[in-house]
Amino acid sequence: LQNMQNKQFYDAKDGGFYRYSQDDMWEKPHLEKTLYDNALLSQLYIDAYLFYKDESFLKTAKETLDFWLKSMSKDDLLFTSIYKDTINKRVKTSQSAMMIRTLFSLGNIDEKYKQKALSMLKKLTDTLYIDSTLYNSTFVDKLPQTKAVLEDYAFLSQTFISAYNSTKDELYLIEAQKLTNKALEEFYQN
């Protein structure tokens, strides 16, 4: 973890992790940052901070999340990637749910991230969970067209459970149960 945060793989200037390194020494990053990689890595750094009490891990997690909140979102919706200076403004349910879940995790340490997670969860569901239909993705200010796949149900359900754990509001558990039941209807085969 320390090598990742101290090498070129981590963008110390703007925050966030590049998708992968193009060399064995982690000195030459592929200049793309993806939402799902950064959600997973931020969660890893939060967990490492909680275990080792190493403040640098918490700093890396915060800087990564702050990068996405500041530069890779609009109106509480998270964009999926940036390659060099080109932002992919697609909003995906699964990837956004992963990042929101990570925000809830950091919100257990710093309250401002919990509040941001709550507002982003509301915006995500308002945008991609319409009339009891979950959608896979859309672009900001566009109506979604493609219905959700299993990973969308799984990650959003996990995020609702994280919202419950953070707030103790049972409505989030009810939403998680609804999504789980709908996923079983849609995808389970005997």
Side-chain angles (χ1 to χ4, degrees):
L1 292 176
Q2 290 168 336
N3 272 343
M4 288 171 50
Q5 73 189 147
N6 294 326
K7 297 283 186 163
Q8 298 298 320
F9 185 66
Y10 177 70
D11 184 351
K13 179 179 175 256
D14 294 322
F17 286 90
Y18 293 106
R19 190 167 184 199
Y20 58 86
S21 180
Q22 298 182 65
D23 68 328
D24 293 347
M25 301 302 295
W26 299 18
E27 301 286 338
K28 187 176 175 191
H30 175 72
L31 297 179
E32 179 181 21
K33 298 176 188 175
T34 60
L35 182 59
Y36 65 92
D37 284 333
N38 280 269
L40 292 170
L41 286 166
S42 295
Q43 184 63 57
L44 179 63
Y45 277 86
I46 293 166
D47 292 343
Y49 164 73
L50 292 171
F51 187 80
Y52 294 108
K53 304 301 183 212
D54 182 333
E55 291 289 329
S56 74
F57 293 153
L58 179 61
K59 180 178 182 281
T60 297
K62 283 185 173 185
E63 288 175 354
T64 300
L65 292 172
D66 290 344
F67 166 75
W68 286 93
L69 296 174
K70 178 180 158 228
S71 302
M72 294 296 295
S73 66
K74 179 182 178 193
D75 300 329
D76 280 344
L77 292 171
L78 293 155
F79 304 139
T80 56
S81 65
I82 181 169
Y83 183 67
K84 296 183 181 177
D85 291 322
T86 304
I87 296 174
N88 179 348
K89 294 187 178 180
R90 179 177 295 275
V91 177
K92 290 195 71 163
T93 298
S94 61
Q95 293 180 25
S96 295
M98 291 168 71
M99 184 60 89
I100 294 168
R101 185 170 176 239
T102 301
L103 287 167
F104 277 118
S105 183
L106 187 55
N108 294 328
I109 300 166
D110 185 336
E111 178 72 18
K112 77 176 184 179
Y113 292 97
K114 173 181 163 183
Q115 296 309 316
K116 193 62 173 172
L118 288 167
S119 66
M120 291 185 123
L121 179 57
K122 179 170 181 2
K123 183 65 174 191
L124 180 66
T125 55
D126 287 350
T127 303
L128 287 163
Y129 191 31
I130 303 166
D131 298 326
S132 298
T133 300
L134 184 62
Y135 291 90
N136 172 266
S137 62
T138 192
F139 288 93
V140 174
D141 301 324
K142 302 284 184 192
L143 289 174
Q145 303 294 317
T146 306
K147 288 191 177 179
V149 296
L150 183 57
E151 75 176 23
D152 297 312
Y153 286 93
F155 286 113
L156 188 54
S157 294
Q158 281 185 323
T159 302
F160 276 127
I161 292 169
S162 293
Y164 166 74
N165 287 333
S166 185
T167 65
K168 302 305 180 207
D169 183 341
E170 291 184 5
L171 291 176
Y172 292 117
L173 285 181
I174 293 167
E175 289 302 320
Q177 185 65 54
K178 280 189 213 174
L179 282 175
T180 301
N181 290 341
K182 182 71 171 174
L184 288 170
E185 287 174 27
E186 293 284 324
F187 302 105
Y188 179 75
Q189 297 176 358
N190 288 335

